[in-house]
């Protein structure tokens, strides 16, 4: 599959908890299985010809989950970043974390810095992991920086246009998503990439994230290819 493959796919990885519950297992088991899916889907996406993959791992709202679940997720991210680093070195993957990193532990920030720095020049799949990410928070952080620069006199209203905003969001330099996939039945955007998804095609599936695989990704891509895209990219 090559022609008509979306350049940038964003995914809301939903349903780990329900997947685990159906098996009589704790939610954290679902997250661990979900992490394995992340690893596989990066490889699949790359092989299919997708250039950019942006995965919603932890939202700014997710802090309100039970403390035990949040700390299990943070531990899982730390472990995954290590795996991701090794894979990125082998597979030439370029990795970036989007979201408010100041809300993450120093240990996580250390792993993120290493991963981002050492993979910055890689030419393979561009993976963006959204951790402590919320689109409203992303836009709020941007507006604050703009207000500070305006107050200092280093920015004037004439400097601000759509390209300026796109170029100052966490996703600066990355094309907008062509396709947004949400797993496990819900059909909401949940504060994900609100600015960037202005012209994005949406695809929903009932499959829970731990069961999502290459075949499901290909189905989503095939559905995308049948869409008549009027705006955004051709
Ligand atoms: C949604 O499932 C998933 C999350 C809140 C987190 C996504 C995390 C992963 C896929 C695991 C690890 C990721 C990485 C990058 C290592 P849910 O808990 O909302 O499930 P539910 O809707 O069935 O309760």
């Amino acid at each position: 599959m090559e022609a008509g493959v979306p350049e940038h796919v964003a995914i809301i990885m939903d349903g780990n908890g329900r997947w685990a519950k159906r098996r009589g297992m704790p939610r954290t088991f679902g997250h661990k299985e979900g992490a394995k899916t992340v690893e596989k889907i990066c490889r699949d996406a790359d092989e299919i010809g997708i250039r950019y993959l942006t995965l919603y791992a932890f939202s700014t709202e997710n802090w309100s989950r039970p403390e035990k679940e949040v700390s299990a997720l943070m531990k899982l991210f730390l472990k995954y970043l290590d795996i991701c680093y090794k894979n990125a070195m082998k597979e030439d993957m370029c990795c970036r974390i989007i979201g408010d990193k100041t809300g993450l532990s120093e240990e996580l920030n250390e792993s993120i810095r290493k991963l981002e720095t050492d993979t910055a020049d890689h030419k393979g799949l561009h993976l963006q992991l959204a951790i402590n990410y919320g689109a409203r928070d992303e836009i709020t952080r941007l507006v604050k920086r703009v207000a500070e620069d305006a107050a200092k006199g280093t920015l004037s209203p004439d400097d601000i246009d759509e390209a300026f905003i796109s170029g100052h969001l966490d996703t600066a330099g990355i094309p907008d998503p062509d396709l947004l996939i949400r797993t496990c039945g819900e059909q909401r955007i949940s504060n994900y990439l609100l600015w960037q998804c202005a012209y994005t095609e949406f695809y929903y599936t009932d499959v829970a994230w731990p069961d999502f695989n290459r075949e499901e990704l290909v189905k989503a891509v095939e559905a995308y290819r049948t869409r008549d895209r009027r705006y955004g990219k051709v």
Side-chain angles (χ1 to χ4, degrees):
M1 184 163 34
E2 269 303 325
V5 172
E7 184 182 25
H8 182 176
V9 175
I11 307 185
I12 301 178
M13 309 181 288
D14 200 9
N16 294 342
R18 278 166 284 171
W19 182 91
K21 198 172 167 210
R22 283 202 289 270
R23 285 158 179 79
M25 300 296 281
R27 297 174 57 78
T28 47
F29 178 69
H31 295 318
K32 280 187 193 151
E33 289 302 302
K36 292 183 193 163
T37 304
V38 169
E39 247 196 283
K40 284 184 268 181
I41 226 64
C42 287
R43 237 163 253 140
D44 295 332
D46 192 30
E47 283 168 17
I48 286 169
I50 292 162
R51 295 280 303 130
Y52 300 86
L53 184 66
T54 305
L55 303 176
Y56 208 177
F58 193 87
S59 73
T60 45
E61 290 76 28
N62 284 156
W63 294 106
S64 63
R65 292 192 175 204
E67 204 258 314
K68 253 175 94 174
E69 184 176 349
V70 170
S71 75
L73 274 167
M74 292 300 147
K75 260 196 210 145
L76 188 60
F77 295 148
L78 201 56
K79 199 170 146 199
Y80 172 75
L81 288 180
D82 200 33
I83 296 170
C84 185
Y85 185 88
K86 289 182 186 124
N87 292 344
M89 293 322 234
K90 266 193 285 187
E91 292 157 24
D92 205 27
M93 196 160 65
C94 172
C95 305
R96 189 196 280 192
I97 306 310
I98 60 167
D100 183 4
K101 292 171 192 143
T102 63
L104 301 174
S105 71
E106 188 40 45
E107 214 181 0
L108 262 173
N109 269 289
E110 192 56 48
S111 291
I112 291 170
R113 269 194 294 275
K114 185 167 165 249
L115 178 68
E116 291 185 334
T117 309
D118 293 356
T119 69
D121 297 332
H122 287 188
K123 302 281 180 273
L125 179 78
H126 282 59
L127 172 68
Q128 281 73 236
L129 268 185
I131 306 181
N132 194 25
Y133 176 86
R136 288 184 172 186
D137 176 66
E138 177 188 34
I139 292 166
T140 305
R141 283 186 280 112
L142 166 58
V143 173
K144 274 192 186 159
R145 291 201 306 273
V146 164
E148 280 163 12
D149 289 348
K152 278 189 278 178
T154 54
L155 188 78
S156 90
D158 290 342
D159 297 328
I160 300 171
D161 57 13
E162 292 188 8
F164 174 93
I165 295 176
S166 293
H168 287 81
L169 289 169
D170 295 350
T171 49
I174 294 161
D176 289 341
D178 303 292
L179 173 65
L180 172 72
I181 300 171
R182 182 168 186 148
T183 60
C184 211
E186 311 292 348
Q187 302 195 354
R188 289 189 288 273
I189 192 156
S190 299
N191 200 15
Y192 194 38
L193 304 172
L194 296 181
W195 172 274
Q196 297 87 338
C197 282
Y199 300 108
T200 301
E201 297 288 334
F202 288 6
Y203 176 88
Y204 304 102
T205 171
D206 287 335
V207 173
W209 179 250
D211 286 335
F212 194 81
N213 56 21
R214 185 187 182 114
E215 196 187 331
E216 296 301 328
L217 180 61
V218 169
K219 263 195 231 169
V221 168
E222 291 296 355
Y224 167 84
R225 294 166 106 182
T226 67
R227 307 270 176 98
D228 174 19
R229 298 196 77 201
R230 283 162 201 245
Y231 301 102
K233 262 178 302 189
V234 280

